[in-house]
Amino acid sequence: MEFKQQATVTLAEVAEAAGVGESTVSRVLRNHGSFSGKTRERVMAAVERLGYVPNRIAGTLASTGSRLVAFVIPSLSNIVFPDVLRGASAVLEENRYQSVFSVTDYDPGREEALAAAMLAWRPAAVMLAGYEHTDGTAKMLRASGCRVVELLDLDGDALDIAVGFSNRAAGRESAAFLLKRAYRRIGYVGHDLQRDTRAGKRFSSFCETLEAAGAPLIAREILAGPSSVENGRLGLERLLARATDLDAVYFSNDDMALGGYFHCLAQGIAIPSQLAIFGYNGLDIGRAIPQPLSTIRTPRVATGEIAAQLIVANAPPQVVDLGFELIEGATA
C-alpha cells in the first residue's frame, strides 16, 4: 500500500473550525493575551480534532523574543548534567520557556557543530558546560545575539553569564583535607582529562597543593572513556598493582570513587585504615553506602535554577559563584 503524507493542518484551519480569528488561536496556544474560557475550550477542541501542531520556530521568528533555551552538555550518563537540567527546566517551564538539549560526549568539535545547529533556531539563550570551547564556537556565540551561560566552572573568562564554582579550588581543598588527615602517599584514579577539562583543573590544583606540602602525588591511573563505577574499580585495581603502599586515593568524581570502594570491599582492604578514598560531586548514592563517601558536594540543581532565573530576568553579564561543600564522610 502506498503511503500518502497528509497535508499539514494550518492555523487558519484551526481558526475556521473554532469560529475565531487566527490571532485568537495564536493567543490561546501561547497562553498570552486576552480570551475567554469558552474561547479557549473551542480552540483546544479544534486543535485536538484536527491534530494541529504549532510551528514553534515560525512563532519565534514572528515574535519579539524567542522562548527557546538550548543546552549543549557533555553527557547524560554522568548524573551531574541531568541534575543541572532538572534545576533549569523547572524554572524555564514555570516561565513558559521551551528547552532543548544536545550531547557532545566531551568532544569540542561536536560542541561546535551542535552549537551551530542550536543557534540556527535563534534561541533566547544557549547554556554550555565550562569555559573551554573551540575558537569557532566562541565566535558563533559572541555573534549570535543571544544570551550565553557557561555552567559548572569559574576558572576562566566568561563570554556573558557564568554560574558555578571553582574546580581549581575544589582540587586544592580536597588535597588540603587529605594532608590535614596525615595522608602522605596519595594516588589518583581518573578518566580522560583532556576532554573533561573541569576534572583536569581539579587534578592539576590537587597535585600542586601536594607538591607545595612536600608530599607529591605517588602514582596515577587515567582510563580512557567516560567516568563510571566500573572504570573506578578497574582503575584502583591497576593503581594498587603498581603502587602497593598508598594510604589514600583521590578520584576524579564519585562514580569512580564508588568503583574504588567496591574494589576494596571485594579485596578485603579496610577503609580508611588501610586506604582512604576521596571523591567529587556529592552524589546521593555516596551517602547511602555503609561508610558515607568523603567528597566535595557541588550545587548542581541550584546551578541550573539560578542560570535559568538569570535568563528569564534578562540579567546583565555576571559571574555567580555558588561555592561547594566538603563532606568529611567516613572513607578518609
Side-chain angles (χ1 to χ4, degrees):
M1 180 182 295
E2 183 181 356
F3 174 76
K4 292 184 179 180
Q5 187 174 21
Q6 185 176 349
T8 303
V9 178
T10 66
L11 188 75
E13 290 172 315
V14 175
E16 182 179 359
V20 298
E22 291 183 39
S23 61
T24 300
V25 175
S26 179
R27 289 198 300 274
V28 170
L29 294 178
R30 290 186 292 115
N31 194 28
H32 182 73
S34 60
F35 50 84
S36 68
K38 289 184 178 180
T39 296
R40 184 183 185 282
E41 289 176 6
R42 291 206 308 275
V43 169
M44 296 310 295
V47 166
E48 183 175 356
R49 186 168 64 254
L50 297 174
Y52 175 70
V53 178
N55 185 335
R56 295 300 185 193
I57 188 167
T60 291
L61 295 174
S63 66
T64 56
S66 171
R67 310 294 291 181
L68 186 72
V69 175
F71 293 84
V72 183
I73 59 175
S75 170
L76 283 177
S77 61
N78 187 332
I79 191 62
V80 169
F81 302 106
D83 276 352
V84 173
L85 289 174
R86 179 160 57 91
S89 295
V91 175
L92 294 173
E93 289 175 11
E94 183 181 342
N95 289 276
R96 298 196 300 276
Y97 281 78
Q98 300 294 319
S99 56
V100 294
F101 68 88
S102 55
V103 180
T104 69
D105 292 324
Y106 291 96
D107 183 338
R110 182 168 171 78
E111 181 187 67
E112 181 173 339
L114 291 171
M118 291 293 191
L119 289 171
W121 288 77
R122 303 296 188 268
V126 177
M127 297 195 188
L128 311 94
Y131 289 144
E132 284 68 42
H133 317 293
T134 65
D135 290 342
T137 300
K139 288 177 183 177
M140 281 191 297
L141 292 171
R142 290 192 183 98
S144 67
C146 74
R147 303 309 303 272
V148 177
V149 184
E150 292 160 303
L151 305 166
L152 302 171
D153 195 10
L154 299 182
D155 301 307
D157 298 319
L159 292 171
D160 181 7
I161 293 173
V163 182
F165 37 84
S166 169
N167 283 274
R168 290 190 60 80
R172 284 194 299 271
E173 290 205 18
S174 300
F177 174 80
L178 293 176
L179 290 168
K180 185 177 179 180
R181 294 295 177 96
Y183 298 111
R184 287 296 181 273
R185 296 193 59 78
I186 301 172
Y188 176 81
V189 173
H191 57 288
D192 192 335
L193 300 179
Q194 296 299 316
R195 289 188 173 227
D196 189 345
T197 57
R198 289 167 297 286
K201 291 176 182 179
R202 294 192 298 276
F203 177 63
S204 175
S205 62
F206 182 86
C207 292
E208 290 167 4
T209 304
L210 295 185
E211 288 273 1
L217 191 77
I218 299 298
R220 72 185 72 176
E221 183 66 35
I222 308 295
L223 290 93
S227 65
S228 68
V229 173
E230 178 58 25
N231 270 349
R233 184 203 64 76
L234 178 61
L236 184 59
E237 181 181 27
R238 290 178 178 176
L239 183 72
L240 294 180
R242 299 196 320 271
T244 59
D245 59 347
L246 296 179
D247 56 19
V249 177
Y250 177 48
F251 289 80
S252 59
N253 53 35
D254 280 3
D255 50 1
M256 300 283 278
L258 285 168
Y261 179 84
F262 295 143
H263 174 74
C264 290
L265 290 183
Q267 297 300 314
I269 300 172
I271 300 173
S273 59
Q274 287 182 269
L275 186 70
I277 289 177
F278 196 90
Y280 173 82
N281 268 328
L283 301 186
D284 291 344
I285 190 173
R287 298 197 297 272
I289 59 178
Q291 294 168 274
L293 188 64
S294 302
T295 186
I296 294 281
R297 181 183 296 159
T298 55
R300 301 176 298 279
V301 175
T303 294
E305 289 173 341
I306 292 172
Q309 289 166 1
L310 294 173
I311 291 303
V312 170
N314 194 27
Q318 59 190 280
V319 173
V320 181
D321 187 351
L322 298 180
F324 51 78
E325 180 184 5
L326 193 148
I327 307 298
E328 293 192 1
T331 60

